[in-house]
Amino acid sequence: NALLRQRHQRILDIFERGEQGRMERRERLVALCCGNPDCREAARLSRSLFETGSASFIDVLDAERSLYSAEDSLIQSKVSA
């Protein structure tokens, strides 16, 4: 009986850890999706400021790098989910 209860508890623990992992990945994915529009807007604004001479090309590259990094993280999260 004790051995059976221990095995049962181990199985429940494994399922619980798996569910927690799925929830964490889902929360991360939601956070990445919510952050992406901000990165797009920053990249758009930096390009606009560059075109008017109010920002350097380095600022544009930095904003676009952040956007691509956020998009890559989002894709990686979708692939691993």
Side-chain angles (χ1 to χ4, degrees):
N1 271 340
L3 185 58
L4 187 57
R5 279 195 298 266
Q6 287 176 345
R7 284 185 182 174
H8 186 258
Q9 187 58 47
R10 277 191 224 146
I11 290 170
L12 289 176
D13 290 344
I14 290 169
F15 282 126
E16 186 175 315
R17 281 194 303 264
E19 184 62 28
Q20 287 173 346
R22 279 191 292 278
M23 292 296 289
E24 289 170 4
R25 284 191 299 273
R26 192 174 303 129
E27 289 170 2
R28 183 169 179 254
L29 186 58
V30 168
L32 288 170
C33 287
C34 291
N36 241 358
D38 294 336
C39 290
R40 280 192 189 96
E41 181 66 9
R44 187 189 68 74
L45 286 174
S46 67
R47 281 190 299 272
S48 177
L49 289 171
F50 174 72
E51 289 169 359
T52 63
S54 300
S56 71
F57 190 61
I58 296 295
D59 295 330
V60 174
L61 293 176
D62 187 47
E64 288 183 353
R65 180 191 49 79
S66 295
L67 172 61
Y68 296 144
S69 177
E71 288 175 342
D72 183 58
S73 294
L74 178 60
I75 291 167
Q76 292 300 322
S77 292
K78 287 181 177 180
V79 168
S80 67

